[in-house]
Amino acid sequence: MELHRLISATVGNPRLAARLAQDAETVYGEFEVPQAQAQALLANPRHALTQLDVHPNLQFKLLAALGLLSLPPASIQPYLQDPHRDGKDR
């Protein structure tokens, strides 16, 4: 599926993600996303992803690439780098 290929391509590719956020219609065309799907995504990405039955993980990734993710990025690095961490599960 072209949409899945596009979403996977945005992971680790900030230039593509930025292009998608700036001009989604062009990027959808470049990845040959079917026109009906592209139009639905342009009109309401969240609704379209649900209607197209896109896996939730891929929905998350596309919404992030479009700049529509309402969750702040998170990292476990502060926890892992904590000098007081003893490595034991609690």
Side-chain angles (χ1 to χ4, degrees):
M1 174 179 220
E2 295 81 2
L3 180 57
H4 290 94
R5 188 170 55 85
L6 166 60
I7 295 168
S8 295
T10 64
V11 176
N13 187 338
R15 291 180 66 195
L16 178 58
R19 287 186 55 234
L20 181 63
Q22 294 169 358
D23 188 5
E25 186 171 10
T26 298
V27 176
Y28 292 151
E30 291 171 2
F31 277 78
E32 300 179 354
V33 174
Q35 189 170 7
Q37 290 181 11
Q39 291 303 317
L41 289 162
L42 291 167
N44 187 334
R46 286 182 176 91
H47 180 72
L49 290 167
T50 301
Q51 293 302 110
L52 295 170
D53 201 28
V54 174
H55 188 279
N57 185 43
L58 295 177
Q59 290 185 35
F60 181 82
K61 291 174 181 177
L62 184 63
L63 292 172
L66 291 170
L68 299 175
L69 195 60
S70 57
L71 299 173
S75 174
I76 64 167
Q77 286 304 315
Y79 170 77
L80 295 174
Q81 295 170 354
D82 182 352
H84 298 100
R85 188 174 75 84
D86 62 12
K88 296 178 183 176
D89 289 337
R90 294 183 181 21

